[in-house]
Amino acid sequence: MSASRRTVLLAGATSAAGLAVAQALIAAGARVVATGRSAERLAALRDAGAEVEVADAMSLASMTELAARLGPVDGVISLVGGWRGGGGLAGQSDEDFDALLPALQAVRATSRAFDSALRASDAGRFAIVSSVAVARPLAGGANYAAVKAASEAWARAVAQGFAKGARDSGEPLRAASVIFRAKALDPESLARAVVSLWAAEAAELNDRVIDLA
């Protein structure tokens, strides 16, 4: 298997990481659909050869509407992120926590909206980007680590759903949910890792945490 001729949605793709992943997938022969809330910020992705959709990755309604229009999809990569931290435990403000929540909201919305499509694919892949902070949270990054830990828990629940669906239907496992962890995210490393999701069987990938370091 490979990423060639796969349709892959990049949710919240207007970062440097989103552009690198899009370019790598396109080079591998994939059809890439990139979402963002700003048409202007999506321009670089369009120029790279991706189809672009102005859509809110944190909104279940927006993602469900997009899923209905796109039809078959082989991959969903949730790339909504951001960092707020510092100041020890006392510095973990509610404002910072609220600013970090969109990452979790995007994981929830995209996985729910595209669940049926990923299960229907012969190689459905769902992936999120997390942090090594989940394994060793620090007081100054408690908000960030908490949101990433919640996102990982959700992605693992997606993995369990894929596995249970395959068992209940008596079919081989074809869909996989994967967590990428990084300390300082390198866009090129992430891009290579995303492309490689279609080089392995779902049973090898489902519920895996892959360290990008």
Side-chain angles (χ1 to χ4, degrees):
M1 294 191 300
S2 74
S4 179
R5 300 189 180 183
R6 300 292 180 186
T7 296
V8 184
L9 176 78
L10 304 183
T14 56
S15 64
L19 180 59
V21 172
Q23 290 171 329
L25 284 168
I26 292 166
R31 172 197 177 199
V32 173
V33 181
T35 78
R37 291 185 293 176
S38 164
E40 182 179 356
R41 294 187 65 191
L42 284 166
L45 290 144
R46 183 189 299 109
D47 292 344
E51 300 174 30
V52 298
E53 294 278 352
V54 178
D56 185 355
M58 289 83 78
S59 165
L60 177 60
S62 182
M63 290 296 99
T64 300
E65 188 274 333
L66 179 58
R69 285 195 292 107
L70 288 183
V73 169
D74 302 293
V76 174
I77 316 298
S78 185
L79 295 171
V80 176
W83 160 257
R84 295 281 190 98
L89 203 62
Q92 303 303 290
S93 71
D94 290 347
E95 292 77 14
D96 285 349
F97 186 73
D98 289 344
L100 292 166
L101 272 179
L104 172 59
Q105 292 167 334
V107 170
R108 295 182 68 249
T110 54
S111 62
R112 294 165 71 196
F114 288 92
D115 184 63
S116 295
L118 293 175
R119 290 173 186 254
S121 170
D122 66 344
R125 302 290 184 263
F126 179 74
I128 72 166
V129 179
S130 186
S131 169
V132 296
V134 172
R136 190 174 183 274
L138 303 177
N143 279 336
Y144 178 75
V147 169
K148 289 298 186 183
S151 297
E152 288 198 10
W154 190 276
R156 295 197 68 192
V158 173
Q160 191 276 334
F162 288 159
K164 184 178 186 299
R167 287 196 307 272
D168 290 350
S169 66
E171 295 288 331
L173 180 64
R174 298 188 179 95
S177 176
V178 176
I179 297 163
F180 294 120
R181 277 188 189 167
K183 183 175 182 180
L185 183 61
D186 172 51
E188 298 303 324
S189 295
L190 175 62
R192 289 191 296 270
V194 169
V195 171
S196 71
L197 289 174
W198 288 272
E201 297 293 336
E204 300 174 38
L205 292 171
N206 197 39
D207 205 17
R208 271 191 65 191
V209 176
I210 298 174
D211 189 347
L212 297 180

